[in-house]
Amino acid sequence: MIANINTDLILLGIWGLIFAIFIIKLFQSIRLVPTKSAYIVERLGKYHTTLDAGFHALVPFIDKVAYVHDLKEETIDVPPQECFSSDEVNVEVDGVIYISVVDPVKASYGVTDYRYAAIQLAQTTTRSVIGTLDLDRTFEERDVISAKVVEVLDQAGATWGIRVHRYEIKNITPPETVKNAMEMQVNAERERRALLAKSEGDKQSKINRSEGVKAEMINRSEGEMQKRINEAEGKAEEILTIAKATAESIERMALVVSAPGGKNVVRMQLGAQYLKQFDGLTHSASKIVLPGNMMDFDHWMDSIGLEESKE
């Protein structure tokens, strides 16, 4: 009796365990796939299908999710590694890769671990590219190194089901001795540029001063020339004015002389001026010298044609 009860309990426990396992497998067969994710389903150990975002039900005990892939872009750090440049300088380089899965099946079965494979390929490619450049160019041509790594990873990514968006070098660290030498070189270059800028400034300053002196001398010469021109034009204008006034005076005198009784008027005017000269001499000199013949004045007047015409 007791043995039968124990046997029934054991069978009940076994069936209960089987039922529990079945319930667990039933719940595990229900899959809710998030957005930007892909589940790789294997049926009896062989690839069966890829589950996209949404609700999916699998066959218990037959189907299982073998791989889960995140389709969003992810970043993978490339550990630091030692590289030798073409001038035999040892530098330490690290970087970061930006990749995403574009073919979940290839990412699952095309390579064991695409992340590890991408890191190794990025490191080897970086060493190869830096080996063709000297130390100075490694700092200047990071874009060349990154582009080459992306190109190589894209070729391999076609079989790995991944896409490499970009590769960035984070640090290029040379040895301490090389770093000190580079700092000294940079300081020397900076000092050279400062001296060159100072000399260029002094040169330009001297040029500006000489240009200023030149402009000042030109302005002075032009001013002096204009002054002389103005003075000459003024004198010429004065001479023309005097000549014009003299000509007008002569013309008027000729009109007066040619008028009736004009000669007598001129004779009287000249005589008055002649006598006035003697009046000035009486005040300024103690002795007065008179002409020997006072009638010489009349002869002079007759010589210039001022003798009164006979009727």
Side-chain angles (χ1 to χ4, degrees), residues 46 86 105 110 128 144 160 181 191 194-195 213 216 220 231 235 258 273:
K46 182 179 180 181
S86 61
V105 178
S128 299
V144 175
W160 296 347
E191 292 177 0
L195 292 175
V213 173
E216 181 182 2
R220 286 183 178 180
E231 289 179 352
K235 290 181 180 179
S258 61
Q273 292 181 359

Side-chain angles (χ1 to χ4, degrees), residues 95-241:
V96 59
I97 308 173
Y98 297 85
I99 65 174
S100 62
V101 176
V102 294
D103 191 336
V105 178
K106 291 182 178 180
S108 301
Y109 303 104
V111 63
T112 303
D113 186 348
Y114 66 86
R115 295 182 180 87
Y116 178 76
I119 291 173
Q120 296 301 311
L121 186 57
Q123 287 182 327
T124 56
T125 306
T126 302
R127 286 197 297 268
S128 299
V129 176
I130 290 181
T132 62
L133 304 174
D134 55 24
L135 181 62
D136 293 335
R137 291 182 61 193
T138 57
F139 296 98
E140 300 172 357
E141 300 189 7
R142 293 192 177 193
D143 294 339
V144 175
I145 302 173
S146 300
K148 185 63 177 177
V149 172
V150 171
E151 180 184 354
V152 174
L153 286 175
D154 269 342
Q155 294 175 359
T159 59
W160 296 347
I162 63 173
R163 179 183 176 186
V164 180
H165 298 279
R166 55 193 176 279
Y167 171 73
E168 298 293 341
I169 296 177
K170 292 194 295 186
N171 297 300
I172 299 177
T173 307
E176 196 65 28
T177 55
V178 176
K179 188 185 296 184
N180 294 335
M182 293 176 65
E183 290 179 356
M184 294 176 62
Q185 181 180 0
V186 170
N187 292 332
E189 180 65 20
R190 189 179 294 111
E191 292 177 0
R192 185 188 69 82
R193 291 180 180 177
L195 292 175
L196 181 61
K198 183 178 179 181
S199 63
E200 289 290 338
D202 293 340
K203 175 184 176 182
Q204 191 62 40
S205 176
K206 292 180 180 179
I207 292 174
N208 292 339
R209 284 197 294 268
S210 63
E211 290 289 339
V213 173
K214 176 183 176 182
E216 181 182 2
M217 294 178 64
I218 291 174
N219 291 336
R220 286 183 178 180
S221 63
E222 290 181 352
E224 186 67 25
M225 180 182 69
Q226 190 63 40
K227 177 183 176 183
R228 293 180 180 179
I229 291 173
N230 293 339
E231 289 179 352
E233 290 179 350
K235 290 181 180 179
E237 188 68 25
E238 180 182 0
I239 293 171
L240 291 175
T241 303

